[in-house]
Amino acid sequence: MALKKTKKRGFDWLMLVAVVVVLYFSTMLISQQIHLNHVGREQEAADVRLQTALEENKALKQERDELNDLGHIEKVAREELGMTKEGELPYSSARK
């Protein structure tokens, strides 16, 4: 009868190291993905703020141009301030 030799296996250090390395890189990959998602959301919010600021800037430039226009200045002076040109009589409606 032949006796089978059974080899008693010890702890497999190579497998442990491989599992630790895989876990480490998986954790790093997930961490980086979370960070990239956060940066992407911040970028989208910054783009929205930039677009809003550009629109406001455009509106302010248009208002500045209108305020430099003599016709607009006269219109505001007459309608909002009740001013008249020399020789004109002011008119105000009895209903207000």
Side-chain angles (χ1 to χ4, degrees):
M1 241 198 226
L3 290 173
K4 273 188 167 176
K5 282 188 173 181
T6 57
K7 184 177 178 184
K8 186 177 179 183
R9 293 197 65 172
F11 191 71
D12 194 359
W13 289 101
L14 182 62
M15 183 59 98
L16 177 66
V17 170
V19 168
V20 169
V21 168
V22 167
L23 286 175
Y24 173 76
F25 283 113
S26 298
T27 305
M28 293 303 295
L29 181 67
I30 291 169
S31 172
Q32 289 296 316
Q33 189 61 42
I34 291 170
H35 179 71
L36 286 175
N37 288 340
H38 181 69
V39 168
R41 285 192 304 272
E42 286 181 354
Q43 178 67 38
E44 289 173 4
D47 288 341
V48 168
R49 288 192 312 268
L50 175 63
Q51 187 62 35
T52 303
L54 289 173
E55 290 171 3
E56 182 180 1
N57 188 27
K58 183 180 177 182
L60 289 172
K61 284 181 179 181
Q62 183 178 358
E63 183 180 348
R64 180 195 64 197
D65 292 341
E66 288 176 356
L67 290 173
N68 288 331
D69 179 36
L70 292 178
H72 181 73
I73 293 172
E74 182 180 346
K75 178 182 174 188
V76 170
R78 287 177 179 271
E79 293 175 0
E80 295 180 16
L81 302 175
M83 300 178 82
T84 60
K85 287 185 179 180
E86 190 175 323
E88 291 183 340
L89 295 174
Y91 172 79
S92 62
S93 173
R95 279 193 255 164
K96 279 197 175 187

